[in-house]
């Protein structure tokens, strides 16, 4: 899984792929009549391994299985998601989102006249879609309808719609900046950040992580603008207001992992049903290696039940831990990473395919919070606002603030392993 990069994780690929299969009527592999679909967990209900039986009963009593979960509903008259999910045709949204990804990171566009002309053409072509986005974002709520009860088969293709829309907003902002229209450029960047906020409140882990990744794209576009232009006090204030709203609306981290645990149970159902090809990707095979892949593919039921029981045991601790700041979890998470390496031969699905996804996803959540706080701090200081310097959610250390006459730079956000830390630079507004 590559949560740190703009690449769909295995879980995300499954969500989008399985949703498409479900909409097509599951013609690839029809279930026999009267047999429960796998998202109803028929194999788990018949488990014999007592620790797993006890775990299932506990989750059933606590109402934490797939059919118990969901997001708070929104009135159709107030729900921006009902517009945003239909901006482009389903196939058009995916192809457009993928094509627009080639323009990111946007920093490299500023000195490339050919690519700038391509951006202008694309933005001009999609003016009506941008107008629809702006109308949608005037509504107070954004709750995308997700059928949580279907687990990995839930249709998440609306993510392509939001990806495409957010990237269009960033590129439209750059186009306006190239024409020295900073009011319009600011509005587009604020809209892009608002679109990320529209995703972040969902309890589905795929949607929450995509909100983080897309917000980073919007902030990359904003940073490339601020490196070259000094926005006014009012313009910086608009951006700061949106970041304050995003911070205030951030959901508690553990909600996503409660849902992720339920999705993990659906994943095991595919293994029990010997539908290996439906859920195991090429990347998964590489992570497992030939020996473990063969072992897992032909695992007897009792081995899978022990694997699943171990997964639920560790997830219970992780969900409880996710209610604390990330930097206070790090010692436990490091210990768990070492334990997973030891337990891998015994529990390959949990230790190689599922729990590592959670560990990286938690880091991405923390980095998203840390970026938001760093940008908020930089904008507040650039606007002359004072206050205590917070701790980075990712590192647990105070941000470092460098304040010059013309700009503010904030360091100390932190980064995912193998990635460089990126400071935040905000020019002070022009003095009237």
């Amino acid at each position: 899984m590559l949560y740190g990069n703009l690449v769909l994780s295995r879980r995300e690929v499954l969500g989008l792929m399985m949703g498409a299969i479900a909409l097509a009527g599951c013609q690839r592999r029809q279930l026999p009549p009267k047999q429960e679909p796998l998202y109803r967990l028929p194999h788990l209900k018949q488990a014999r391994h007592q620790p797993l039986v006890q775990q299932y009963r506990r989750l059933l009593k606590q109402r934490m299985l797939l059919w118990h979960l969901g997001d708070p509903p929104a009135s159709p008259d107030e729900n921006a998601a009902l517009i945003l999910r239909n901006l482009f045709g389903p196939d058009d949204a995916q192809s457009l989102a993928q094509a627009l990804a080639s323009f990111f990171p946007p920093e490299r566009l500023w000195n490339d006249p050919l690519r700038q002309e391509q951006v202008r053409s694309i933005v001009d072509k999609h003016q009506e879609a941008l107008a629809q986005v702006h109308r949608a974002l005037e509504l107070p709520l954004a709750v995308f309808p997700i059928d949580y009860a279907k687990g990995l088969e839930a249709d998440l293709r609306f993510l392509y719609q939001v990806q495409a829309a957010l990237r269009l907003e960033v590129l439209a902002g750059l186009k306006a900046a190239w024409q020295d229209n900073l009011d319009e450029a600011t509005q587009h960047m604020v809209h892009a950040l608002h679109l990320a906020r529209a995703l972040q409140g969902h309890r589905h882990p795929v949607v929450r992580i995509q909100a983080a990744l897309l917000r980073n794209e919007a902030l990359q576009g904003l940073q490339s603008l601020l490196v070259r232009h000094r926005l006014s006090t009012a313009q910086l204030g608009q951006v700061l207001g949106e970041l304050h709203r995003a911070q205030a609306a951030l959901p508690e981290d553990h909600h996503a992992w409660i849902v992720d645990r339920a999705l993990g149970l659906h994943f095991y159902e595919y293994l029990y049903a010997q539908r290996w090809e439906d859920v195991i990707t090429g990347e998964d095979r590489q992570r497992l290696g030939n020996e473990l892949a063969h072992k897992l593919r032909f695992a007897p039921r009792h081995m899978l039940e022990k694997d699943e029981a171990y997964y639920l045991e560790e997830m219970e601790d992780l969900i409880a831990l996710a209610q604390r700041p990330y930097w206070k979890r790090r010692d436990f998470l490091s210990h768990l990473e070492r334990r997973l390496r030891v337990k891998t031969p015994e529990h390959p699905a949990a230790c190689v395919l599922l729990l590592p996804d959670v560990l990286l996803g938690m880091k991405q959540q923390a980095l998203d919070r840390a970026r938001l706080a760093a940008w908020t701090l930089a904008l507040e200081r650039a606007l002359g606002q004072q206050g205590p310097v917070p701790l980075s959610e990712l590192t647990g250390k105070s941000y470092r603030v460098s304040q010059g006459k013309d700009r503010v730079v904030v360091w100390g956000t932190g980064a995912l392993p193998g990635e460089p830390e990126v400071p935040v630079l905000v020019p002070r507004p022009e003095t009237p």
Side-chain angles (χ1 to χ4, degrees):
M1 180 186 70
L2 299 173
Y3 273 154
N5 299 315
L6 290 169
V7 177
L8 290 179
S9 70
R10 175 176 55 80
R11 182 68 51 81
E12 293 172 289
V13 169
L14 291 177
L16 294 168
M17 177 187 73
M18 298 306 293
I21 291 174
L23 287 183
C26 294
Q27 296 176 2
R28 175 179 175 184
R29 192 187 296 241
Q30 291 282 1
L31 292 173
K34 299 183 181 180
Q35 181 174 334
E36 278 193 301
L38 295 181
Y39 52 75
R40 295 296 297 181
L41 310 181
H43 297 88
L44 178 58
K45 291 174 182 176
Q46 312 251 343
R48 299 173 185 173
H49 183 57
Q50 280 306 303
L52 181 58
V53 172
Q54 292 169 9
Q55 290 272 20
Y56 168 68
R57 289 173 178 169
R58 179 179 60 81
L59 294 175
L60 184 63
K61 183 177 180 180
Q62 294 176 347
R63 300 183 59 80
M64 289 190 177
L65 297 171
L66 285 168
W67 50 88
H68 299 135
L69 303 175
D71 297 310
S75 167
D77 295 336
E78 298 181 319
N79 194 0
L82 302 186
I83 299 174
L84 296 174
R85 69 177 179 173
N86 294 312
L87 291 171
F88 315 99
D91 296 332
D92 294 337
Q94 180 177 357
S95 60
L96 179 59
Q98 292 171 346
L100 295 178
S102 67
F103 294 100
F104 288 78
E107 171 64 29
R108 59 193 179 190
L109 298 175
W110 288 83
N111 296 314
D112 191 334
L114 178 60
R115 296 289 275 168
Q116 287 184 14
E117 188 55 40
Q118 291 174 334
V119 167
R120 291 187 183 95
S121 176
I122 291 171
V123 170
D124 289 345
K125 180 180 177 181
H126 292 94
Q127 284 300 307
E128 177 54 33
L130 288 169
Q132 290 185 57
V133 171
H134 302 168
R135 287 194 293 272
L137 295 182
E138 293 175 357
L139 298 175
L141 300 173
V143 180
F144 289 90
I146 302 171
D147 193 348
Y148 284 78
K150 289 189 175 179
L152 296 174
E153 297 177 27
D155 182 14
L156 301 182
R157 290 178 300 169
F158 66 84
L159 287 173
Y160 290 129
Q161 302 276 353
V162 182
Q163 286 175 344
L166 184 143
R167 289 166 183 165
L168 274 176
E169 289 286 358
V170 172
L171 296 178
L174 298 184
K175 173 178 177 276
W178 297 332
Q179 298 169 342
D180 294 322
N181 187 340
L182 296 185
D183 276 336
E184 184 178 334
T186 301
Q187 282 296 314
H188 284 297
M189 296 301 177
V190 170
H191 287 316
L193 291 166
H194 192 166
L195 284 167
R197 176 161 60 92
L199 291 179
Q200 74 178 27
H202 294 76
R203 293 171 179 170
H204 199 292
V206 173
V207 183
R208 174 67 186 98
I209 297 302
Q210 276 297 299
L213 296 175
L214 289 171
R215 177 154 38 232
N216 187 42
E217 287 193 348
L219 291 173
Q220 287 176 348
L222 177 63
Q223 185 64 92
S224 74
L225 171 66
L226 293 176
V227 165
R228 294 166 178 82
H229 292 278
R230 295 176 69 176
L231 299 186
S232 69
T233 298
Q235 291 160 349
L236 290 180
Q238 290 176 45
V239 178
L240 179 58
E242 174 53 38
L243 296 186
H244 280 155
R245 289 187 288 274
Q247 282 187 305
L250 277 172
E252 296 183 40
D253 286 0
H254 71 283
H255 290 317
W257 307 117
I258 289 173
V259 176
D260 198 69
R261 175 178 58 189
L263 293 172
L265 300 182
H266 192 188
F267 177 82
Y268 278 102
E269 292 293 319
Y270 278 88
L271 299 184
Y272 288 126
Q274 298 184 333
R275 290 176 58 175
W276 168 275
E277 297 296 338
D278 285 340
V279 291
I280 301 296
T281 68
E283 181 192 350
D284 290 334
R285 293 189 185 94
Q286 290 182 347
R287 292 164 67 185
L288 286 163
N290 291 335
E291 183 177 345
L292 277 182
H294 183 273
K295 180 179 181 179
L296 183 59
R297 182 167 191 172
F298 299 102
R301 183 185 179 102
H302 69 85
M303 175 187 154
L304 289 177
E305 289 191 1
K306 289 180 180 179
D307 194 312
E308 188 171 16
Y310 175 74
Y311 165 73
L312 289 175
E313 177 185 332
E314 295 291 2
M315 281 300 293
E316 183 69 14
D317 289 341
L318 285 171
I319 289 168
L321 201 66
Q323 299 178 57
R324 305 173 63 191
Y326 180 83
W327 58 272
K328 291 185 177 181
R329 312 174 208 165
R330 286 182 302 172
D331 289 345
F332 178 90
L333 297 179
S334 297
H335 177 70
L336 176 58
E337 286 181 313
R338 294 191 294 271
R339 188 160 70 241
L340 293 183
R341 288 193 287 271
V342 174
K343 295 281 189 178
T344 288
E346 189 178 357
H347 308 299
C351 295
V352 179
L353 301 181
L354 296 178
L355 293 171
D357 284 9
V358 177
L359 300 184
L360 283 175
M362 285 185 170
K363 288 178 183 176
Q364 186 63 64
Q365 281 178 318
L367 180 56
D368 184 45
R369 288 180 179 274
R371 281 197 195 107
L372 268 174
W375 270 92
T376 299
L377 177 62
L379 285 160
E380 288 174 344
R381 291 296 189 268
L383 290 168
Q385 301 176 21
Q386 299 301 315
V389 176
L391 304 180
S392 165
E393 174 79 9
L394 191 62
T395 69
K397 298 178 180 178
S398 295
Y399 292 100
R400 305 185 304 278
V401 183
S402 173
Q403 300 196 61
K405 178 182 177 182
D406 297 323
R407 66 183 187 177
V408 174
V409 182
V410 172
W411 294 84
T413 299
L416 296 182
E419 296 184 2
E421 180 183 321
V422 179
V424 177
L425 184 155
V426 178
R428 295 186 186 277
E430 299 247 12
T431 303

